[in-house]
């Protein structure tokens, strides 16, 4: 499938009386055989999608960047459906099965095909808008999505909304916790010590205080320090060195009532 962008340059030579009512830069989907219909009054799905795209400026999406984003989302969905023998306006059963396979493909498929939860949610929102329009215009008899009723509260006013169950939930920023994968953890520890991934000395590294850096990195990994805590340590958070050399680790008491982050 080809994604092109409309330009009216030279329209006077197109054997039309007036300039086409297509916005400049509007995305246009074209099948590989360059046909938009299979016969009289039999438009292909690409022609239907193009009509939906042309109506975006008057449907709450005036930015050209949004048009391209919407077009690419539907294009990728159509190409995935074609690979599995499912039509864009197929039955609800087949569309739901394809959506389940698409969700698995975008979540656990090849790395280049995977979507973050926020990107997946954006794609599902766009496809939901398209299918609702297609059903209203009687191009589609069904959509692949299932919704549940919910109540949204804004500025003290509540209203009923429909929630697309295909959208993956994302955690709030304040509860998001990021972990290092084990293989990256080892790279991190070796890098702080000026070592290459294989453990040999990194000749291109010219850092200093490598022992200190490595110890701080191990401390952060072992205690689960937050990012702001990893930035610095207060003097009383570091136990005093013993008067005489001793073996490590050095045991030291922790005052009662001390909790993480305080």
């Amino acid at each position: 499938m080809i994604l092109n962008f409309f330009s009216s340059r030279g329209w006077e030579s197109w054997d039309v009386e007036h300039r086409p009512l297509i916005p400049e830069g509007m995305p246009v989907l074209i099948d590989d055989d360059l046909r938009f219909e299979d016969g009289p009054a039999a438009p292909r799905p690409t022609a239907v999608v193009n009509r939906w795209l042309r109506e975006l400026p008057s449907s709450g999406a005036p930015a050209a960047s949004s048009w391209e984003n919407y077009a690419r989302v539907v294009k990728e969905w159509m190409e995935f459906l074609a690979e599995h023998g499912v039509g864009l306006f197929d039955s609800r059963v087949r569309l739901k099965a394809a959506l389940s396979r698409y969700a698995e493909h975008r979540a656990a498929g090849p790395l280049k095909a995977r979507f973050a939860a926020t990107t997946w949610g954006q794609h599902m929102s766009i496809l939901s808008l398209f299918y609702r329009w297609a059903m209203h215009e009687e191009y589609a008899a069904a959509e692949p999505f299932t919704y549940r009723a919910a109540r949204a509260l804004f500025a003290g006013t509540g209203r009923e909304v429909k929630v697309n169950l295909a959208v993956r939930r994302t955690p709030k920023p304040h509860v998001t916790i990021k972990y290092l994968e084990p293989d990256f953890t080892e790279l991190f520890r070796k890098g702080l010590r000026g070592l290459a991934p294989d453990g040999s000395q990194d000749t291109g590294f010219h850092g200093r205080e490598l022992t200190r850096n490595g110890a701080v990195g191990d401390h952060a990994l072992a205690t689960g320090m937050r990012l702001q805590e990893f930035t610095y340590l207060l003097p009383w958070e570091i136990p005093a060195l013993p008067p005489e050399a001793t073996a490590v680790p050095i045991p030291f008491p922790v005052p009662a009532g001390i909790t993480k982050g305080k």
Side-chain angles (χ1 to χ4, degrees):
M1 185 177 297
I2 303 170
L3 174 60
N4 202 358
F5 297 90
F6 177 78
S7 173
S8 62
R9 181 179 300 176
W11 70 268
E12 296 86 354
S13 61
W14 294 353
D15 194 25
V16 294
E17 185 177 356
H18 302 285
R19 180 195 179 283
L21 295 174
I22 303 176
E24 289 291 322
M26 174 60 63
V28 180
L29 296 182
I30 307 172
D31 287 328
D32 292 336
D33 60 3
L34 307 182
R35 297 179 61 182
F36 289 101
E37 59 183 17
D38 293 317
R44 288 188 176 183
T46 48
V48 177
V49 175
N50 289 335
R51 180 191 163 189
W52 173 67
L53 292 172
R54 290 196 300 270
E55 295 181 8
L56 288 178
S58 60
S59 302
S65 58
S66 297
W67 308 340
E68 179 179 355
N69 190 32
Y70 283 32
R72 292 190 184 279
V73 168
V74 179
K75 175 179 179 289
E76 292 174 5
W77 168 242
M78 292 176 68
E79 291 173 340
F80 182 84
L81 292 178
E83 290 178 2
H84 294 78
V86 180
L88 182 64
F89 303 128
D90 218 314
S91 66
R92 177 170 172 79
V93 173
R94 287 176 59 79
L95 287 173
K96 284 179 66 66
L99 181 62
S100 294
R101 177 67 181 88
Y102 193 54
E104 185 273 336
H105 174 68
R106 290 304 192 183
L111 287 177
K112 291 184 178 180
R114 295 183 187 181
F115 283 163
T118 51
T119 303
W120 171 258
Q122 182 186 49
H123 279 230
M124 292 303 99
S125 176
I126 292 173
L127 290 178
S128 177
L129 290 173
F130 168 71
Y131 273 104
R132 276 184 280 174
W133 173 88
M135 292 177 66
H136 182 267
E137 298 294 330
E138 299 183 351
Y139 288 111
E143 62 175 321
F145 304 108
T146 301
Y147 302 90
R148 67 174 175 83
R151 187 170 182 80
L153 184 64
F154 179 75
T157 303
R159 61 186 180 90
E160 297 295 328
V161 296
K162 293 200 308 181
V163 178
N164 190 339
L165 296 183
V167 176
R168 301 203 301 264
R169 297 183 62 183
T170 56
K172 299 297 183 182
H174 70 281
V175 298
T176 300
I177 301 177
K178 297 181 179 179
Y179 299 92
L180 297 179
E181 296 293 337
D183 53 350
F184 187 82
T185 300
E186 286 304 309
L187 288 176
F188 174 70
R189 296 179 67 248
K190 291 176 180 176
L192 289 175
R193 289 171 168 79
L195 303 178
D198 60 359
S200 62
Q201 193 70 30
D202 187 351
T203 58
F205 183 75
H206 302 287
R208 59 191 183 91
E209 305 292 349
L210 303 182
T211 302
R212 178 204 61 184
N213 296 344
V216 173
D218 290 344
H219 176 60
L221 293 170
T223 60
M225 297 172 65
R226 297 184 178 92
L227 181 60
Q228 63 182 12
E229 296 168 340
F230 187 38
T231 305
Y232 56 84
L233 291 174
L234 300 177
W236 49 81
E237 294 178 314
I238 304 176
L241 290 175
E244 297 180 1
T246 182
V248 293
I250 305 171
F252 61 93
V254 178
I258 296 297
T259 59
K260 182 174 176 59
K262 293 187 179 180

